[in-house]
Amino acid sequence: MKKLVMLLALLSTSAAFALPRAPFNALETNLKSNIKNTRGYNFEGIVKLSNCSGSLVIFNGQPTTSKAIVMTNGHCIQKPGGFLNPGEVWVNKANTRAMKIFDKNMKLFPIQATKILYATMTNTDVAFYELNQSYDDIKKMANVTPYVLDTVRPFAGQPIEIISGYWDRGYSCDIDGFVFKIKEDLWTWTDSIRYTSSCDTIGGTSGSPIIAKGERRVVGVNNTSNESGARCTMNNPCEVSESGEVTVRAQVRYGQQTYNVYSCLTPDFKFDLELGQCDLPR
């Protein structure tokens, strides 16, 4: 056990980033949370996946009697054989997956996904799982209130928190700015969020919510970082401007905006990619 704890401590400070496989199955490993990394962060509604992080989110105005939703990255959904291909979109796909959710005291409760409502790695990197419990059920079980997925675009300079269920730790920084396109190996993401340096996220933090600091509003989802300064390769995304100029920023981390999800929701909060205003890949 001592060797395992030492290994986990080393991994938690390593330079492993978003898209590589997470170093262990978080649902089967009992991390000894570091008070330094958890102090001041509210873990209520943060979700632990086997390979990533996530959050319990509710759409603005959605009734709490609805089946609950967990948001993470598209690259976290455990597609057989690897990642979603560029242009690939999953909608309303049956998918059973065990997860755990934190309450405000960092106690974990089991939850179960039964469906992927939407997932893609094209233009953005996001997935929404539907659970077999309603928000009211989770409130009764664990006294957990969901985060509200914000309806408006975040802004440069906005203070944010990124809280990881995988690593049981949080990060605080600001939104440094927005990137026209990020290219990483086969994938391209648009209008991405770039963080200031104190959000030095590591592998396993993929899928963590980007939270408006001090509030229960989620403005995006954490997804990648340039690990070694390489150009546009796996684990080394590059920035591409509107004119096509490529910039490499070593050790810089990024996330994806989520407010545009609302453009693809029906009045009863179902995904409909055929809506004229829908701004998600279909």
CSV table of all heavy atoms in Angstrom, one decimal, residues 19 86 179-190 192 224-226 230-241 246-248 254 256:
chain,number,residue,atom,x,y,z
A,19,LEU,N,-5.2,13.9,-23.1
A,19,LEU,CA,-5.6,12.8,-23.9
A,19,LEU,C,-4.9,11.5,-23.6
A,19,LEU,O,-5.5,10.5,-24.0
A,19,LEU,CB,-5.4,13.2,-25.4
A,19,LEU,CG,-6.3,14.3,-25.9
A,19,LEU,CD1,-6.1,14.5,-27.4
A,19,LEU,CD2,-7.8,14.0,-25.7
A,86,PRO,N,-12.6,12.3,-36.1
A,86,PRO,CA,-13.1,13.6,-36.5
A,86,PRO,C,-14.4,13.5,-37.3
A,86,PRO,O,-14.5,12.6,-38.2
A,86,PRO,CB,-11.9,14.1,-37.4
A,86,PRO,CG,-10.7,13.4,-36.9
A,86,PRO,CD,-11.2,12.0,-36.5
A,179,VAL,N,-9.1,31.0,-28.3
A,179,VAL,CA,-8.3,30.6,-29.4
A,179,VAL,C,-9.2,30.3,-30.6
A,179,VAL,O,-10.1,29.4,-30.4
A,179,VAL,CB,-7.4,29.4,-29.1
A,179,VAL,CG1,-6.5,29.1,-30.2
A,179,VAL,CG2,-6.6,29.7,-27.8
A,180,PHE,N,-8.9,30.9,-31.8
A,180,PHE,CA,-9.8,30.6,-32.9
A,180,PHE,C,-9.9,29.1,-33.2
A,180,PHE,O,-11.0,28.6,-33.3
A,180,PHE,CB,-9.2,31.4,-34.1
A,180,PHE,CG,-10.0,31.1,-35.4
A,180,PHE,CD1,-11.3,31.6,-35.5
A,180,PHE,CD2,-9.4,30.4,-36.5
A,180,PHE,CE1,-12.0,31.4,-36.7
A,180,PHE,CE2,-10.1,30.2,-37.6
A,180,PHE,CZ,-11.4,30.7,-37.8
A,181,LYS,N,-8.7,28.4,-33.3
A,181,LYS,CA,-8.7,27.0,-33.5
A,181,LYS,C,-7.6,26.4,-32.7
A,181,LYS,O,-6.5,27.0,-32.6
A,181,LYS,CB,-8.6,26.6,-34.9
A,181,LYS,CG,-9.9,26.8,-35.7
A,181,LYS,CD,-9.7,26.2,-37.2
A,181,LYS,CE,-11.0,26.4,-38.0
A,181,LYS,NZ,-10.9,25.9,-39.4
A,182,ILE,N,-7.8,25.2,-32.1
A,182,ILE,CA,-6.7,24.4,-31.6
A,182,ILE,C,-6.7,23.1,-32.4
A,182,ILE,O,-7.7,22.5,-32.6
A,182,ILE,CB,-7.0,24.1,-30.1
A,182,ILE,CG1,-6.8,25.3,-29.2
A,182,ILE,CG2,-6.0,23.0,-29.6
A,182,ILE,CD1,-7.1,25.0,-27.8
A,183,LYS,N,-5.5,22.8,-32.9
A,183,LYS,CA,-5.3,21.5,-33.6
A,183,LYS,C,-4.4,20.6,-32.8
A,183,LYS,O,-3.3,21.0,-32.4
A,183,LYS,CB,-4.6,21.8,-35.0
A,183,LYS,CG,-4.4,20.5,-35.8
A,183,LYS,CD,-4.0,20.8,-37.2
A,183,LYS,CE,-3.6,19.6,-38.0
A,183,LYS,NZ,-4.8,18.6,-38.0
A,184,GLU,N,-4.9,19.4,-32.5
A,184,GLU,CA,-4.2,18.3,-31.8
A,184,GLU,C,-4.3,17.0,-32.6
A,184,GLU,O,-5.3,16.4,-32.6
A,184,GLU,CB,-4.7,18.2,-30.4
A,184,GLU,CG,-3.9,17.1,-29.6
A,184,GLU,CD,-4.2,17.2,-28.1
A,184,GLU,OE1,-4.8,18.1,-27.6
A,184,GLU,OE2,-3.8,16.2,-27.4
A,185,ASP,N,-3.2,16.6,-33.2
A,185,ASP,CA,-3.2,15.4,-34.0
A,185,ASP,C,-4.3,15.5,-35.1
A,185,ASP,O,-4.3,16.4,-35.9
A,185,ASP,CB,-3.3,14.2,-33.1
A,185,ASP,CG,-2.9,12.9,-33.8
A,185,ASP,OD1,-1.9,12.9,-34.6
A,185,ASP,OD2,-3.6,11.9,-33.6
A,186,LEU,N,-5.3,14.6,-35.0
A,186,LEU,CA,-6.4,14.5,-36.0
A,186,LEU,C,-7.5,15.5,-35.7
A,186,LEU,O,-8.3,15.8,-36.6
A,186,LEU,CB,-7.0,13.1,-36.1
A,186,LEU,CG,-6.0,12.0,-36.4
A,186,LEU,CD1,-6.8,10.7,-36.3
A,186,LEU,CD2,-5.4,12.2,-37.8
A,187,TRP,N,-7.5,16.1,-34.5
A,187,TRP,CA,-8.7,16.8,-34.0
A,187,TRP,C,-8.5,18.3,-34.0
A,187,TRP,O,-7.4,18.8,-33.8
A,187,TRP,CB,-9.1,16.3,-32.6
A,187,TRP,CG,-9.5,14.9,-32.6
A,187,TRP,CD1,-10.7,14.4,-32.9
A,187,TRP,CD2,-8.6,13.8,-32.4
A,187,TRP,NE1,-10.7,13.0,-32.8
A,187,TRP,CE2,-9.4,12.6,-32.5
A,187,TRP,CE3,-7.3,13.6,-32.1
A,187,TRP,CZ2,-8.9,11.3,-32.4
A,187,TRP,CZ3,-6.8,12.4,-31.9
A,187,TRP,CH2,-7.6,11.2,-32.1
A,188,THR,N,-9.6,19.0,-34.3
A,188,THR,CA,-9.6,20.5,-34.3
A,188,THR,C,-10.7,21.0,-33.4
A,188,THR,O,-11.8,20.5,-33.6
A,188,THR,CB,-9.7,21.1,-35.7
A,188,THR,OG1,-8.6,20.6,-36.5
A,188,THR,CG2,-9.7,22.6,-35.7
A,189,TRP,N,-10.4,21.9,-32.5
A,189,TRP,CA,-11.4,22.5,-31.6
A,189,TRP,C,-11.5,24.0,-31.9
A,189,TRP,O,-10.4,24.6,-32.1
A,189,TRP,CB,-11.1,22.1,-30.2
A,189,TRP,CG,-11.0,20.6,-30.0
A,189,TRP,CD1,-12.0,19.7,-30.3
A,189,TRP,CD2,-10.0,19.9,-29.4
A,189,TRP,NE1,-11.6,18.4,-30.0
A,189,TRP,CE2,-10.4,18.5,-29.5
A,189,TRP,CE3,-8.7,20.2,-28.9
A,189,TRP,CZ2,-9.5,17.5,-29.0
A,189,TRP,CZ3,-7.9,19.2,-28.4
A,189,TRP,CH2,-8.3,17.9,-28.4
A,190,THR,N,-12.7,24.6,-31.8
A,190,THR,CA,-12.8,26.0,-32.2
A,190,THR,C,-13.2,26.8,-31.0
A,190,THR,O,-13.9,26.3,-30.1
A,190,THR,CB,-13.9,26.1,-33.3
A,190,THR,OG1,-15.1,25.6,-32.8
A,190,THR,CG2,-13.5,25.4,-34.5
A,192,SER,N,-11.7,27.9,-28.4
A,192,SER,CA,-11.3,27.3,-27.1
A,192,SER,C,-10.9,28.3,-26.1
A,192,SER,O,-10.5,29.4,-26.4
A,192,SER,CB,-10.2,26.3,-27.4
A,192,SER,OG,-10.5,25.3,-28.3
A,224,THR,N,-7.4,19.8,-22.5
A,224,THR,CA,-6.1,19.4,-23.1
A,224,THR,C,-5.0,20.4,-22.7
A,224,THR,O,-5.3,21.4,-22.1
A,224,THR,CB,-6.2,19.3,-24.6
A,224,THR,OG1,-5.0,18.6,-25.1
A,224,THR,CG2,-6.3,20.7,-25.3
A,225,SER,N,-3.8,20.1,-23.0
A,225,SER,CA,-2.6,20.9,-22.7
A,225,SER,C,-1.5,20.6,-23.7
A,225,SER,O,-1.4,19.4,-24.2
A,225,SER,CB,-2.2,20.6,-21.3
A,225,SER,OG,-1.0,21.3,-21.0
A,226,ASN,N,-0.6,21.5,-23.9
A,226,ASN,CA,0.6,21.3,-24.7
A,226,ASN,C,1.7,20.8,-23.7
A,226,ASN,O,2.1,21.6,-22.9
A,226,ASN,CB,1.0,22.5,-25.5
A,226,ASN,CG,2.2,22.3,-26.3
A,226,ASN,OD1,3.3,22.0,-25.9
A,226,ASN,ND2,2.0,22.4,-27.6
A,230,ALA,N,5.9,20.5,-28.6
A,230,ALA,CA,5.8,20.1,-30.0
A,230,ALA,C,4.6,20.7,-30.7
A,230,ALA,O,3.8,21.4,-30.1
A,230,ALA,CB,5.6,18.6,-30.1
A,231,ARG,N,4.6,20.6,-32.1
A,231,ARG,CA,3.6,21.4,-32.9
A,231,ARG,C,2.5,20.5,-33.4
A,231,ARG,O,2.7,19.6,-34.2
A,231,ARG,CB,4.4,22.0,-34.1
A,231,ARG,CG,3.6,22.8,-35.1
A,231,ARG,CD,4.5,23.1,-36.2
A,231,ARG,NE,3.8,23.7,-37.4
A,231,ARG,CZ,3.8,25.0,-37.6
A,231,ARG,NH1,4.5,25.9,-36.9
A,231,ARG,NH2,3.2,25.5,-38.7
A,232,CYS,N,1.3,20.7,-32.9
A,232,CYS,CA,0.1,20.2,-33.4
A,232,CYS,C,0.0,18.6,-33.3
A,232,CYS,O,-0.7,18.0,-34.1
A,232,CYS,CB,-0.2,20.6,-34.8
A,232,CYS,SG,0.0,22.4,-35.1
A,233,THR,N,0.7,18.0,-32.4
A,233,THR,CA,0.8,16.6,-32.3
A,233,THR,C,-0.1,16.1,-31.1
A,233,THR,O,-0.6,17.0,-30.3
A,233,THR,CB,2.2,16.1,-32.1
A,233,THR,OG1,2.7,16.6,-30.8
A,233,THR,CG2,3.1,16.5,-33.2
A,234,MET,N,-0.3,14.8,-30.9
A,234,MET,CA,-1.0,14.3,-29.8
A,234,MET,C,-0.4,14.8,-28.5
A,234,MET,O,0.9,14.7,-28.3
A,234,MET,CB,-1.0,12.8,-29.8
A,234,MET,CG,-1.8,12.1,-28.6
A,234,MET,SD,-3.5,12.5,-28.6
A,234,MET,CE,-4.1,11.2,-29.8
A,235,ASN,N,-1.2,15.3,-27.6
A,235,ASN,CA,-0.7,15.9,-26.3
A,235,ASN,C,0.1,17.2,-26.5
A,235,ASN,O,0.6,17.7,-25.5
A,235,ASN,CB,0.1,14.9,-25.5
A,235,ASN,CG,-0.6,13.6,-25.5
A,235,ASN,OD1,-1.8,13.4,-25.3
A,235,ASN,ND2,0.2,12.5,-25.6
A,236,ASN,N,0.1,17.7,-27.7
A,236,ASN,CA,0.8,19.0,-27.9
A,236,ASN,C,0.0,19.9,-28.9
A,236,ASN,O,0.4,20.1,-30.0
A,236,ASN,CB,2.2,18.8,-28.5
A,236,ASN,CG,3.1,18.2,-27.5
A,236,ASN,OD1,3.6,18.8,-26.6
A,236,ASN,ND2,3.4,16.9,-27.6
A,237,PRO,N,-1.2,20.3,-28.5
A,237,PRO,CA,-2.0,21.1,-29.4
A,237,PRO,C,-1.3,22.4,-29.7
A,237,PRO,O,-0.6,23.0,-28.9
A,237,PRO,CB,-3.3,21.4,-28.6
A,237,PRO,CG,-2.9,21.2,-27.1
A,237,PRO,CD,-1.8,20.2,-27.1
A,238,CYS,N,-1.6,22.9,-30.9
A,238,CYS,CA,-1.1,24.2,-31.3
A,238,CYS,C,-2.3,25.1,-31.6
A,238,CYS,O,-3.4,24.7,-31.8
A,238,CYS,CB,-0.3,24.1,-32.6
A,238,CYS,SG,-1.2,23.4,-34.0
A,239,GLU,N,-2.1,26.4,-31.5
A,239,GLU,CA,-3.1,27.4,-31.8
A,239,GLU,C,-3.0,27.9,-33.2
A,239,GLU,O,-1.9,28.1,-33.8
A,239,GLU,CB,-2.9,28.6,-30.9
A,239,GLU,CG,-3.0,28.3,-29.4
A,239,GLU,CD,-2.9,29.6,-28.5
A,239,GLU,OE1,-3.0,30.7,-29.1
A,239,GLU,OE2,-2.9,29.4,-27.3
A,240,VAL,N,-4.2,28.0,-33.9
A,240,VAL,CA,-4.3,28.4,-35.3
A,240,VAL,C,-5.1,29.6,-35.4
A,240,VAL,O,-6.3,29.6,-34.9
A,240,VAL,CB,-4.8,27.3,-36.2
A,240,VAL,CG1,-4.8,27.7,-37.6
A,240,VAL,CG2,-4.0,26.0,-36.0
A,241,SER,N,-4.6,30.7,-35.9
A,241,SER,CA,-5.4,32.0,-36.0
A,241,SER,C,-6.3,31.9,-37.2
A,241,SER,O,-6.2,31.0,-38.1
A,241,SER,CB,-4.4,33.1,-36.1
A,241,SER,OG,-3.8,33.1,-37.4
A,246,VAL,N,0.2,29.6,-37.1
A,246,VAL,CA,0.3,28.6,-36.1
A,246,VAL,C,1.2,29.0,-34.9
A,246,VAL,O,2.3,29.5,-35.2
A,246,VAL,CB,0.8,27.2,-36.6
A,246,VAL,CG1,1.0,26.2,-35.5
A,246,VAL,CG2,-0.2,26.7,-37.7
A,247,THR,N,0.7,28.9,-33.7
A,247,THR,CA,1.5,29.3,-32.5
A,247,THR,C,1.5,28.1,-31.6
A,247,THR,O,0.5,27.5,-31.3
A,247,THR,CB,0.9,30.5,-31.8
A,247,THR,OG1,0.8,31.6,-32.7
A,247,THR,CG2,1.7,30.9,-30.6
A,248,VAL,N,2.7,27.8,-31.1
A,248,VAL,CA,2.9,26.7,-30.1
A,248,VAL,C,3.2,27.4,-28.7
A,248,VAL,O,4.1,28.2,-28.6
A,248,VAL,CB,4.0,25.8,-30.5
A,248,VAL,CG1,4.2,24.7,-29.4
A,248,VAL,CG2,3.7,25.1,-31.8
A,254,TYR,N,-6.0,24.2,-21.9
A,254,TYR,CA,-7.1,24.7,-22.6
A,254,TYR,C,-8.4,23.9,-22.2
A,254,TYR,O,-8.4,22.8,-21.7
A,254,TYR,CB,-6.9,24.4,-24.1
A,254,TYR,CG,-5.7,25.1,-24.7
A,254,TYR,CD1,-4.5,24.3,-24.8
A,254,TYR,CD2,-5.7,26.4,-25.2
A,254,TYR,CE1,-3.4,24.9,-25.4
A,254,TYR,CE2,-4.6,27.0,-25.7
A,254,TYR,CZ,-3.4,26.2,-25.9
A,254,TYR,OH,-2.3,26.8,-26.4
A,256,GLN,N,-13.0,23.8,-23.4
A,256,GLN,CA,-14.0,24.1,-24.4
A,256,GLN,C,-15.2,24.8,-23.8
A,256,GLN,O,-15.7,24.4,-22.7
A,256,GLN,CB,-14.4,22.8,-25.1
A,256,GLN,CG,-13.2,22.1,-25.7
A,256,GLN,CD,-12.4,22.9,-26.7
A,256,GLN,OE1,-13.0,23.6,-27.6
A,256,GLN,NE2,-11.1,22.9,-26.6
